[in-house]
Amino acid sequence: MDARNTVTLSDGPRGLRAAAYLLGKGELVAFPTETVYGLGGDATQDRAVAAIYAAKGRPAHNPLIVHVPDLAAAETLAQVSPDARALAEAFWPGPLTLVLPRRADARLAEAATAGLATVALRAPAHPLARALLQAFGGPIVGPSANPSGAVSPTTAAHVREGLGGRIAAVLDGGACPVGVESTILGFGPEGPVLLRPGGLPTEVIEAALGRPLAGRDEAEGVTAPGQLASHYAPRAALRLDAAAPRPGEAWLGFGPDPAGAQGLNLSPGGDLVEAAANLFAHLRALDAAGAGRIAVAGIPDRDLGRALNDRLRRAAAPRG
Ligand code: TXA
Ligand code: MG
């Protein structure tokens, strides 16, 4: 397909109607969420789910997140434990994904969960995502709308760069306010387990729970197939925790820049929320400017900084 065959839909009622109609026909429509753009497909249609794996070049063993409007819809698809219910009540709609036992009678394409006994569910907060879920009237699978392994999109233009010509449409809602993907929690024998740090800081979750979250290796029987080492990767190589750029390196700063640094800054004032919103767009911009190597300033490993450091470590990992 020609890249021009991907239609850009505006955020009014007509765009929403068109998006819902296309989803119903089994077509793929990218849509904005508060975290990143998702590649939407009808979660109940095998054909639509298969098309998502094909469009992204995603390995078939890596399951998708299913987007729902609310807890009631989640309960038709998964068994929601009291712990999970409390978290959903506290943080949905919002950037939190819960991995829960899939109900036997869940109306979901088998491939949406890649054959696992669990399903990842999230109720997004973005008004357009919510309007699309309402207009469509069913669950929508939505991995990040980028080719597998590449940097996640935070604008409709990013989606077109990566997937233009491979998907029917993109619903344009401007830039995503959070900028990094949702926090993913699983549930082990000891309670909630952090599978992926993300847009909802772990500190906020722990404060609500009144206890620390278990880390991934401490939990038995909880797996996150998508936690691949190399991911979110720009073309350029990355050098992390840099004090200053070396000759030939582009600079991605955080806080005050060192003398002579040429490049971009995630947040000159050292604000982690601003840095998260800028991360993926800045990596793309440095790539587009032809940087062969990017030196990245150190970022504090707290609040949204944990998600930023997680994405940067994966972006810097050897490519597989
Ligand atoms: O913010 C987000 O979460 C965005 C927006 C679009 O909602 N979506 C997103 O999807 O980041 P994706 O597919 O790029 O990442 C989903 C992650 C993958 O690492 C996948 O392996 C994991 O969720 N996942 C999905 N289902 C799972 C399951 N049943 N058990 C464990 N991990 C699961
Ligand atoms: Mg992704």
Side-chain angles (χ1 to χ4, degrees):
M1 221 199 289
D2 190 295
R4 284 166 298 189
N5 293 347
T6 296
V7 177
T8 298
L9 300 171
S10 62
D11 64 357
R14 283 179 59 173
L16 278 167
R17 265 202 306 278
Y21 171 79
L22 288 167
L23 288 175
K25 302 234 305 169
E27 302 282 348
L28 306 185
V29 179
F31 64 101
T33 79
E34 69 277 25
T35 58
V36 300
Y37 274 73
L39 179 55
D42 181 348
T44 69
Q45 287 189 44
D46 294 320
R47 196 169 70 89
V49 175
I52 286 188
Y53 284 91
K56 282 182 62 88
R58 183 173 179 114
H61 63 263
N62 191 1
L64 308 177
I65 293 179
V66 178
H67 295 75
V68 292
D70 50 30
L71 182 55
E75 286 183 308
T76 68
L77 304 175
Q79 284 150 24
V80 183
S81 63
D83 263 353
R85 182 182 322 269
L87 288 165
E89 280 170 352
F91 298 115
W92 280 2
L96 174 67
T97 296
L98 301 174
V99 175
L100 301 168
R102 177 180 161 142
R103 276 175 63 143
D105 60 353
R107 271 192 64 233
L108 280 180
E110 211 46 53
T113 53
L116 294 181
T118 53
V119 56
L121 294 172
R122 148 162 145 78
H126 195 290
L128 258 189
R130 301 189 62 69
L132 180 63
L133 281 162
Q134 207 203 348
F136 179 58
I140 298 176
V141 274
S144 53
N146 51 275
S148 187
V151 177
S152 295
T154 53
T155 67
H158 294 166
V159 175
R160 298 183 67 94
E161 269 166 44
L163 296 177
R166 294 168 169 234
I167 62 176
V170 50
L171 189 56
D172 191 348
C176 301
V178 175
V180 290
E181 298 84 347
S182 61
T183 302
I184 304 183
L185 298 183
F187 294 85
E190 311 288 308
V193 179
L194 180 65
L195 299 180
R196 177 178 77 181
L200 184 66
T202 47
E203 288 87 343
V204 176
I205 299 171
E206 290 176 339
L209 287 171
R211 63 194 150 108
L213 280 170
R216 195 151 39 107
D217 358 285
E218 297 155 49
E220 267 176 60
V222 180
T223 53
Q227 307 300 306
L228 310 172
S230 170
H231 218 87
Y232 313 100
R235 272 194 303 275
L238 298 190
R239 184 168 67 84
L240 306 184
D241 285 319
R246 296 176 184 152
E249 286 181 334
W251 176 244
L252 184 56
F254 176 83
D257 283 324
Q262 294 285 320
L264 293 173
N265 197 304
L266 292 167
S267 172
D271 175 15
L272 290 167
V273 173
E274 180 185 17
N278 285 330
L279 177 68
F280 292 141
H282 279 11
L283 286 175
R284 281 170 188 271
L286 291 171
D287 246 0
R293 197 176 170 85
I294 305 169
V296 187
I299 294 169
D301 207 36
R302 57 173 165 78
D303 303 314
L304 281 176
R306 289 183 209 247
L308 283 155
N309 283 321
D310 173 81
R311 305 306 186 267
L312 284 166
R313 273 194 299 272
R314 289 175 207 278
R319 316 286 156 87

